[in-house]
Amino acid sequence: MPATGSGADPTSSTNLFMVTRQDDGTWALGFGMSMPEVVEIRLFDAQNTLIHESEESISWTHSVEPCGGPSTADPIVL
């Protein structure tokens, strides 16, 4: 499911990314070919009320696969 900041037009700071719910109840964010150093996280409840907002740093681990392969990062706990 694509996600953006609620009620905001997409800008350079609210770019689309993929969000996937995992079997263990956590969520995985996919950034395609992007590897942002910092992300702004906004969580909304079912009534579209902002319930959490934070800026989080991401420390990437880069693959040694040919052509770079996928990069990964440690989980962000909110």
Side-chain angles (χ1 to χ4, degrees):
M1 127 184 7
T4 64
S6 177
D9 293 327
T11 66
S12 61
S13 64
T14 59
N15 290 326
L16 292 175
F17 55 89
M18 296 303 296
V19 179
T20 308
R21 186 178 180 113
Q22 305 299 295
D23 291 338
D24 64 0
T26 61
W27 295 83
L29 305 178
F31 297 100
M33 297 298 288
S34 299
M35 291 184 299
E37 293 180 15
V38 175
V39 293
E40 293 178 15
I41 304 287
R42 293 183 192 97
L43 303 177
F44 297 86
D45 66 13
Q47 290 73 41
N48 207 30
T49 302
L50 180 65
I51 57 174
H52 175 87
E53 184 172 19
S54 63
E55 186 174 280
E56 305 291 336
S57 296
I58 298 178
S59 178
W60 294 97
T61 300
H62 303 289
S63 173
V64 294
E65 297 293 320
C67 297
S71 296
T72 59
D74 289 335
I76 296 171
V77 178
L78 305 177

